[in-house]
């Protein structure tokens, strides 16, 4: 299975490749590092620091978007997505919301960090491996289009860090039976979850993922709707 680029003109469900029929947008959690980590990491007062993947996996914990909304006064998942994308200059001027970006950044605690952009969240990996193997699959397949690499890994042998380092940006992983797939999305802080079965909401609830279940009118620009 090759990586999928979803266009902005057509709803996500209409673009799903066979055999997938359902999809959800998983919201990559923010990274909460231990209190004092930032001050300990900085070499000067004005140095910008950010956790490395190893540090995030070993020391960090996931902070849900809902908790960030409570802390910052942002009103919805959509507004957080727009604030994040505005902060990384992922929007054209007419779509950007500097006011939301300021609200988000001014109210983040010192040791709280954005999710890694362009990547499947490192905090999802154990549950993703569990989902991929849930129907008896022993192997996963991956594909990344930037370096044009693909391969197969044994689910029980792969580590969280190895999964995170499969690709610097776009990546799709699926089980050998193609029952489920997970994709990163460029310039975004989400993970797309595809399923050939109708139990996608049940899985999301079981794993306690924050998610937007794709309806027939859900676009990849889910925070705005269709972008003309």
């Amino acid at each position: 299975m090759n990586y999928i680029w979803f266009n902005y003109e057509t709803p996500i469900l209409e673009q799903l490749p066979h055999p997938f029929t359902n999809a959800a947008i998983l919201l990559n959690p923010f990274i909460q590092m231990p209190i004092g980590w930032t001050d300990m990491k900085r070499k000067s007062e004005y140095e910008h620091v950010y956790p490395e993947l190893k540090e995030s996996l070993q020391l960090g914990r996931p902070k849900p978007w809902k908790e960030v909304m409570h802390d910052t006064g942002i009103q919805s998942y959509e507004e957080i997505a727009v604030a994040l994308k505005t902060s990384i200059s992922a929007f054209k001027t007419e779509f950007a919301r500097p006011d939301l970006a300021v609200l988000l950044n001014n109210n983040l605690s010192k040791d709280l960090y954005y999710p890694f952009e362009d990547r499947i969240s490192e905090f999802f990996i154990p549950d993703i491996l569990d989902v991929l193997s849930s129907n008896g699959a022993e192997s996963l397949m991956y594909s990344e289009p930037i370096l044009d690499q693909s391969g197969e890994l044994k689910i029980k042998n792969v580590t969280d860090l190895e999964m995170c380092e499969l690709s610097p940006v776009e990546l799709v992983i699926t089980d050998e039976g193609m029952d489920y797939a997970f994709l990163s999305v460029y310039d975004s802080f989400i993970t797309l979850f595809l399923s050939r079965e109708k139990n996608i909401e049940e899985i999301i609830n079981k794993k306690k993922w924050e998610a937007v279940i794709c309806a027939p009118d859900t676009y990849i620009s889910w925070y705005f709707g269709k972008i003309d």
Side-chain angles (χ1 to χ4, degrees):
M1 178 180 176
N2 293 324
Y3 183 82
I4 309 161
W5 280 281
F6 288 88
N7 68 55
Y8 289 86
E9 293 78 32
T10 310
I12 290 172
L13 294 182
E14 293 183 21
Q15 299 183 64
L16 297 183
H18 179 79
F20 301 108
T21 60
N22 293 277
I25 296 160
L26 308 184
L27 308 178
N28 294 356
F30 285 69
I31 302 167
Q32 179 66 67
M33 298 301 288
I35 301 303
W37 181 88
T38 301
D39 288 336
M40 184 172 58
K41 187 77 172 177
R42 279 178 177 162
K43 296 178 182 178
S44 69
E45 182 180 355
Y46 301 104
E47 181 186 9
H48 175 73
V49 296
Y50 189 84
E52 297 179 0
L53 268 171
K54 285 184 179 180
E55 294 173 315
S56 177
L57 285 167
Q58 292 173 0
L59 301 174
R61 68 170 180 83
K63 187 176 178 77
W65 288 31
K66 186 167 289 185
E67 291 184 14
V68 174
M69 286 165 55
H70 178 270
D71 294 345
T72 61
I74 293 178
Q75 298 299 307
S76 66
Y77 288 153
E78 289 81 1
E79 286 192 351
I80 287 191
V82 172
L84 287 167
K85 289 174 72 71
T86 298
S87 292
I88 64 169
S89 302
F91 283 140
K92 295 180 179 179
T93 303
E94 60 265 35
F95 298 117
R97 286 286 304 274
D99 59 318
L100 291 177
V102 168
L103 184 61
L104 175 63
N105 293 319
N106 284 354
N107 291 283
L108 285 184
S109 63
K110 183 182 291 186
D111 297 302
L112 182 65
Y113 293 88
Y114 284 10
F116 288 97
E117 62 188 88
D118 310 332
R119 292 178 178 270
I120 295 171
S121 173
E122 69 274 29
F123 297 122
F124 289 156
I125 298 301
D127 282 337
I128 285 176
L129 294 175
D130 184 56
V131 170
L132 292 176
S133 64
S134 62
N135 286 343
E138 297 182 354
S139 300
L140 64 85
M141 271 61 69
Y142 69 90
S143 172
E144 65 89 9
I146 302 303
L147 301 177
D148 192 25
Q149 295 182 345
S150 59
E152 180 177 342
L153 297 169
K154 290 296 183 182
I155 294 174
K156 67 178 182 179
N157 295 334
V158 68
T159 68
D160 294 356
L161 185 60
E162 286 172 335
M163 287 287 290
C164 291
E165 292 180 337
L166 287 176
S167 172
V169 280
E170 287 101 333
L171 175 72
V172 58
I173 56 176
T174 185
D175 59 279
E176 60 196 50
M178 290 184 67
D179 291 316
Y180 307 104
F182 296 84
L183 298 89
S184 59
V185 180
Y186 181 68
D187 268 355
S188 293
F189 300 86
I190 60 170
T191 299
L192 277 181
F193 174 28
L194 314 183
S195 172
R196 72 155 74 195
E197 303 176 2
K198 295 182 179 180
N199 63 339
I200 195 166
E201 188 169 1
E202 178 184 335
I203 293 171
I204 288 168
N205 290 337
K206 181 180 178 181
K207 298 304 182 185
K208 298 181 180 179
W209 290 331
E210 284 185 299
V212 176
I213 306 294
C214 292
D217 59 350
T218 302
Y219 293 80
I220 196 65
S221 52
W222 59 279
Y223 37 82
F224 286 144
K226 183 178 181 182
I227 295 180
D228 296 321

